[in-house]
Amino acid sequence: MIEKNRHLDLFSNIKWGDKLSGLGNGLWPFTKSFYYGYRYNDPPYSLLLLISSSIGICILFHLDRALMILSHLGFFYPKNVWLYAGYRLLLLSSPFLSWGIFQTVISSSRRKDLATRLYDANLVNRRNQLPAYISDLPIDSSTRILKLTKASLPLKTFTENKDRLESTLQVTIDQIIDNKERGTVDILYGFGEMPKIFPLMERVNAVGRDSFIIGKTRAQEIVCSLKENPHWLVAGQSLFGKSTFVNQCVATLYLNNPDYEFLCIDLKGGIEFEVFKNTKRITVAGNIEEAIGELEQIPLMFEERMELLRENGCKDIEAYEDLIKNKKADGKNLKKLGRFVIAVDEVAELFLTSEKATGQDIQKTRDILSQVTRQGRALGVHAILATQRPDARALDTQVKANLSGIICYQLPNDASSILVLGNGRATDITNIRGRAILKRGPDLVEVQTPILNRDEINTLLADYRIDANSKGSEKDGPVLPTINNPTSKGGKGTKK
Ligand SMILES: Nc1ncnc2c1ncn2[C@@H]1O[C@H](COP(=O)(O)OP(=O)(O)OP(=O)(O)O)[C@@H](O)[C@H]1O
Ligand SMILES: [Mg+2]
C-alpha cells in the first residue's frame, strides 16, 4: 500500500510533479502505458497488428535487406544469427513499442498541461500546491476517468469548481468521486454532451425480465433489476420527472413480465396513474381510503407467500422460481408466483394524518410499507416510492433506509439532498427535466431518465385493457399469476 502511494505523495507537490515528468524517458511510465493500454483495450490493436504483419512479410521476402542496400545502409544488416533474431524481433514489435513511447510522451506533456488547467480552475491548496496527474484512462467508448491526487483539498472544492474544470479541460464531467481508499479524486468525463431527452418507446418491449431502464449517461444505458435493487425511492422537486419515471418503470415491468401484478397508489386523485386504470393485473388506488384498503391486504399476501415458500423448502422467490424451472418438485404441480410491485406517487401523503386517515391508519400503513421493504425482496414484493418531500416526517426513516436504489431529481436545498443522497449533489443537477442522480450503494451516477408519455403507454397497453363495466371479462393477454391478487379480498381500489 505504501509502495503503491509513494509516487502519489510526490505528485501532490507540483515541483516534484514537474521533476517526475522527466521520468517520461524512464522505463516505469513506459511499462505503465503498456499495462494500462492493454488492460483497458486502448491500443489500436488491429492497426498495430496490420503494420506488424506487413513488416513480417517484408522480412520474409528479404525486402528489408533490399531496402537497406538501396539506401546504402547494407552494412547495418545483422550477419550474426543471434543479432539477426533480435533484429527481427525488434522490427516485428516496433509498432507496439512506438505506440508505448508515443503514449509515454503524451502523458508526460499532459501532466504539465494539466497543472496549468487545474490552476485556472482554482484547484490550489493553501500551500499553493495543485492536485497532480496520476492517470487518464478510458472506461468505455466515450467516457474516461482522470485520476488526480487530492493535494489535501476537500471533495467539495472539486465539485464546486466543476464548471470551471469543464471549461478549462473542455470536457463534460459526469461525476467526481472521492476515492478515499487510494486518496485520489476520480473524475469521470467525456467529450460529448449528456442526452437531454431519452425516448423509451422503441426500447420498452426489449428490456428483459425483472428489469427497467434507469436512464442514459453520456456513454451508456443503465438498466436495473429488481433482483439486485428490490425497492426504490424516487425523490425530487416538482416537475422534474418523478411521475414520468414511475410510470415508465411500471409500464416496462408490466410489458416484460406477464406474471407481475401491480398496486399503483396515486394520492393526487388518481391522475398520475390514470393511464393504468382498467388494465389487467394493475390495481389503481386514487385516494387515501382506497390506498389503506389495498395496503391492508398485503400482510395476508405475505403470509400466503411465506407459507408457499416454506412448504417447498425455498428460502426466497428466486429459489422458488428455480425450483419451478428445474422441475425438481417430482411431478408436483407448483403454483406460479409472480412478483408484486407497489408503486406510490407522493408517498408523503400516506404518512401524514388527514381527515380521511387517522393516526392509527397511518401507523398501519407505515408498518406495512416497512414490512414490504424489510421482507419483500425474499417474497417478491417490491416498493417504488416517489416523493417531493424526502424528510423524516413525510417518509418513514426505517422505510427509507431499506430503499436500496435511489433516483434523485433536482432538490431545492442541501438539507434535502443530504437526506436522500448523503451529500449536496442534488442541488446542482442541471435544470433539465428528466436529469437525475442514480444512487446504488455508494455510487452516484448522473443520468437522463427515460420518457414514455401517456399516449405511448396507452398504445402499449391497448391489448391489456379490460372493460370497466364487465368485471372479469378480459381480452387475450398475459397469464395471471395463480397466487391470489390481494386486492380482490376487500380492497376498495379500481379493481382490474
Ligand atoms: N425523463 C424526462 N425527459 C424529458 N422530459 C421529462 C422527463 N420526465 C418528465 N419530463 C417532463 O416534465 C413534466 C413533468 O414531469 P412529472 O409530472 O413526471 O414531474 P413530477 O416530478 O412528478 O412533478 P410533481 O412533483 O409536480 O408531480 C412532464 O410532463 C414532461 O413533459
Ligand atoms: Mg408527479
Side-chain angles (χ1 to χ4, degrees):
M1 190 66 190
I2 292 168
E3 189 57 31
K4 213 193 262 176
N5 283 336
R6 195 159 57 91
H7 66 284
L8 307 186
D9 295 337
L10 297 177
F11 275 3
S12 68
N13 181 323
I14 191 62
K15 286 179 194 149
W16 275 104
D18 277 341
K19 279 184 193 166
L20 282 169
S21 64
L23 274 177
N25 305 323
L27 206 59
W28 166 238
F30 179 71
T31 327
K32 209 165 87 171
S33 298
F34 261 111
Y35 167 72
Y36 284 131
Y38 286 104
R39 177 148 178 226
Y40 293 95
N41 204 15
D42 205 20
Y45 281 115
S46 22
L47 180 69
L48 296 179
L49 271 173
L50 188 74
I51 301 173
S52 196
S53 9
S54 314
I55 294 173
I57 293 171
C58 288
I59 295 174
L60 200 68
F61 293 102
H62 303 293
L63 293 180
D64 55 327
R65 191 167 175 219
L67 205 71
M68 276 183 159
I69 292 169
L70 263 178
S71 17
H72 306 286
L73 296 170
F75 56 88
F76 274 129
Y77 199 74
K79 306 212 166 38
N80 175 298
V81 65
W82 289 108
L83 274 180
Y84 183 63
Y87 158 82
R88 271 196 310 189
L89 196 68
L90 192 70
L91 270 192
L92 286 173
S93 57
S94 61
F96 293 90
L97 293 175
S98 316
W99 178 81
I101 291 167
F102 178 65
Q103 289 299 309
T104 311
V105 172
I106 285 189
S107 70
S108 157
S109 66
R110 200 178 278 161
R111 213 171 277 152
K112 286 182 196 155
D113 181 41
L114 189 70
T116 328
R117 290 168 192 256
L118 294 178
Y119 189 81
D120 288 345
N122 237 357
L123 293 171
V124 190
N125 72 14
R126 287 192 185 162
R127 281 170 285 144
N128 220 17
Q129 293 170 337
L130 298 166
Y133 174 87
I134 298 167
S135 61
D136 176 27
L137 306 163
I139 51 169
D140 57 50
S141 57
S142 62
T143 309
R144 299 184 68 91
I145 183 162
L146 172 66
K147 283 184 185 282
L148 300 174
T149 61
K150 284 169 79 176
S152 316
L153 291 166
L155 183 70
K156 205 169 163 217
T157 313
F158 288 86
T159 46
E160 278 171 358
N161 290 297
K162 182 177 162 228
D163 288 349
R164 283 166 179 257
L165 204 54
E166 282 185 329
S167 113
T168 76
L169 295 175
Q170 295 178 339
V171 297
T172 310
I173 295 175
D174 272 355
Q175 217 186 331
I176 301 179
I177 307 161
D178 191 1
N179 192 337
K180 289 206 173 84
E181 200 185 309
R182 304 198 55 180
T184 65
V185 168
D186 301 348
I187 300 175
L188 263 77
Y189 74 93
F191 299 99
E193 283 285 317
M194 281 279 289
K196 289 198 172 66
I197 188 136
F198 174 19
L200 189 62
M201 189 62 176
E202 299 300 311
R203 287 276 288 108
V204 69
N205 275 310
V207 177
R209 210 169 148 69
D210 307 313
S211 304
F212 57 90
I213 296 184
I214 297 291
K216 246 186 194 169
T217 65
R218 196 173 354 77
Q220 68 192 56
E221 191 177 288
I222 300 185
V223 178
C224 276
S225 163
L226 283 183
K227 285 183 182 171
E228 287 155 26
N229 293 95
H231 312 294
W232 286 81
L233 170 65
V234 184
Q237 57 190 6
S238 189
L239 291 180
F240 275 88
K242 296 180 300 297
S243 305
T244 308
F245 184 83
V246 179
N247 280 1
Q248 69 85 15
C249 266
V250 171
T252 308
L253 289 168
Y254 183 90
L255 292 165
N256 293 288
N257 302 280
D259 53 348
Y260 271 40
E261 283 185 52
F262 298 82
L263 167 59
C264 296
I265 300 177
D266 171 5
L267 299 175
K268 287 181 181 164
I271 304 163
E272 302 289 11
F273 288 137
E274 182 93 56
V275 75
F276 295 117
K277 284 185 176 165
N278 302 323
T279 309
K280 282 160 73 174
R281 300 186 279 125
I282 302 184
T283 302
V284 178
N287 59 50
I288 188 78
E289 290 157 304
E290 283 176 6
I292 293 171
E294 300 300 336
L295 285 171
E296 275 174 351
Q297 312 305 316
I298 301 290
L300 186 65
M301 176 171 62
F302 264 63
E303 271 170 40
E304 285 177 359
R305 290 186 170 223
M306 262 188 246
E307 184 59 36
L308 191 62
L309 296 189
R310 210 178 301 127
E311 265 173 23
N312 291 286
C314 297
K315 70 174 176 23
D316 58 21
I317 186 167
E318 280 170 52
Y320 188 76
E321 280 168 358
D322 285 346
L323 191 70
I324 294 183
K325 218 185 289 167
N326 300 334
K327 296 193 178 102
K328 279 184 198 158
D330 301 330
K332 234 198 216 175
N333 210 0
L334 286 173
K335 269 185 176 182
K336 267 197 145 192
L337 192 59
R339 289 175 192 260
F340 191 89
V341 178
I342 304 167
V344 187
D345 204 345
E346 207 35 83
V347 73
E349 302 285 333
L350 266 186
F351 293 129
L352 300 172
T353 40
S354 65
E355 283 168 25
K356 291 180 180 158
T358 62
Q360 212 180 354
D361 287 336
I362 300 298
Q363 190 52 47
K364 216 184 292 167
T365 315
R366 274 177 198 262
D367 293 346
I368 293 168
L369 279 184
S370 169
Q371 185 185 16
V372 169
T373 55
R374 273 182 293 115
Q375 302 174 347
R377 190 206 61 77
L379 300 174
V381 182
H382 304 272
I384 302 174
L385 312 177
T387 185
Q388 271 183 34
R389 300 180 43 187
D391 55 282
R393 217 170 84 77
L395 177 58
D396 186 83
T397 37
Q398 201 188 359
V399 171
K400 199 172 121 234
N402 289 322
L403 303 170
S404 58
I406 295 175
I407 293 291
C408 184
Y409 292 91
Q410 199 183 77
L411 282 168
N413 50 49
D414 275 354
S416 50
S417 174
I418 289 168
L419 273 172
V420 180
L421 297 175
N423 58 36
R425 181 73 180 83
T427 51
D428 46 53
I429 297 177
T430 326
N431 241 335
I432 294 173
R433 291 189 177 176
R435 188 62 57 88
I437 301 286
L438 159 68
K439 185 176 194 292
R440 282 184 298 181
D443 296 338
L444 300 183
V445 185
E446 189 167 357
V447 289
Q448 178 66 30
T449 55
I451 182 159
L452 198 60
N453 63 40
R454 278 175 201 199
D455 291 345
E456 289 172 330
I457 298 182
N458 261 325
T459 313
L460 290 164
L461 298 186
D463 288 344
Y464 303 90
R465 298 298 189 193
I466 36 175
D467 185 353
N469 301 321
S470 58
K471 275 188 183 177
S473 83
E474 296 172 342
K475 288 186 186 180
D476 286 345
V479 184
L480 280 164
T482 48
I483 193 85
N484 291 337
N485 180 344
T487 54
S488 63
K489 293 190 178 171
K492 292 162 270 181
T494 317
K495 176 72 193 83
K496 308 313 136 211

